[in-house]
Amino acid sequence: MQKFRNLTILTIAAATVAACGPSTPDAAPTTATVAQAPSSTASAAPSSGPGRPATCGTDLLAKLSMREKAGQLLMVGVKDAADARRAVQQGVGGVFIGSWTDRSVFSGGTLQAVAKAGKVPAMVSVDEEGGRVSRVPGANLVSARQLAKTMTVAQARAEGERVGRLMKSMGITVDFAPDADVSAQPADSVIGDRSYSDDPAVVVKYSQAFAAGLRDGGVYPVFKHFPGHGSSSGDSHQGGVSVPPLNQLKQKDLIPFRAAVDAGDAGVMVGHLTVPGLTEPGLPTSLSPATMRLLRDGAGYGAKRFDGPIFTDDLSGMKAITNEFSVPQAVTKALEAGADVALWISTDQLGAALDAVEAAVKAKRIPAKQLDDSVLRVARAKHAVSC
């Protein structure tokens, strides 16, 4: 996921066709100049680097119970406005608007009201990549690959701003885009035309530009799918998926994520991938402590330390997860591993997931400091704290 002020972020949990897209679905290049240009004041966010006062966020933490803190790390997909409101009132940190959500939520100030229904403002999120992964009425955004082929980098930033302003007007505060995967897959494959290019330098320029445009428009961007889904063996909606070994990812797939972390002002979504040389046996990247450390520390792939929020991909609609874990198990394992936000597609198991995370905190499988740090990362992203 840093300079993103005046943004209240609501995040809506991803779905099978959402965060990861359709179910049938050695020096790094520097970040493009256009992406590094300052965004408008309205989209600036507080820095997430070191050097904050020791008291930063203590007022927020003091007013939340352990269970309420746990809820801030959960994002759920919702059916309609009533479902979203109930979830926020139960304490979730965000809701996700999917392809199945009643489209009336996009009008009449509905999502703005949902965001204010809890003790802490909620994130409202959506998948708006363009092309076949488009959820916002009127976005009219082409696929990433088409955008990179037909527009300049400056035009890509302008498109990001246009769509960002539209989403902000509807009450959406987080977009699970851009897709930073480097891929030469056919257009209709799991990544395919969701990728800007099979050239990491092109992906860096266009993903950075589009993210900068979203910030200009007042929406928080989230780069996906770390550490790189572009050369995957299959579709994680359908089962386990492997990608090349970590040493190979460093030469290509990780380059856009390195640029994203170095540039700042965004979250990062971790996919459900098996990576030789990185992931532990039986654990995809979204549940892998080694993957979370790689992203958080940065040194293992030449990036800066990342202190923004780490989101998981959907934990309930993809067989790469559900073949092995229940939703409460997957949610808890992801947070234990070091993710800040566990994302899934339905409110049906929200109570059970909250119970499981609370139990993990009490058992110290999620240390109290780790819980607080995650709560504050999420709070900074949605401007619930300003330091």
Side-chain angles (χ1 to χ4, degrees), residues 187-239:
D188 61 351
S189 60
V190 60
I191 299 301
D193 63 0
R194 301 167 65 194
S195 167
Y196 291 99
S197 175
D198 61 353
D199 181 346
V202 173
V203 176
V204 167
K205 289 190 294 184
Y206 279 90
S207 63
Q208 288 288 312
F210 189 77
L214 289 175
R215 290 190 292 268
D216 293 342
V219 169
Y220 191 71
V222 177
F223 289 79
K224 62 187 184 188
H225 307 82
F226 186 89
H229 206 312
S231 300
S232 58
S233 61
D235 183 348
S236 56
H237 295 90
Q238 305 304 321

Side-chain angles (χ1 to χ4, degrees), residues 250 258 293-306:
K250 290 178 184 179
R258 183 187 305 154
R293 286 194 300 271
L294 179 72
L295 174 54
R296 186 66 71 204
D297 297 341
Y301 70 109
K304 295 178 182 177
R305 175 175 173 79
F306 179 60

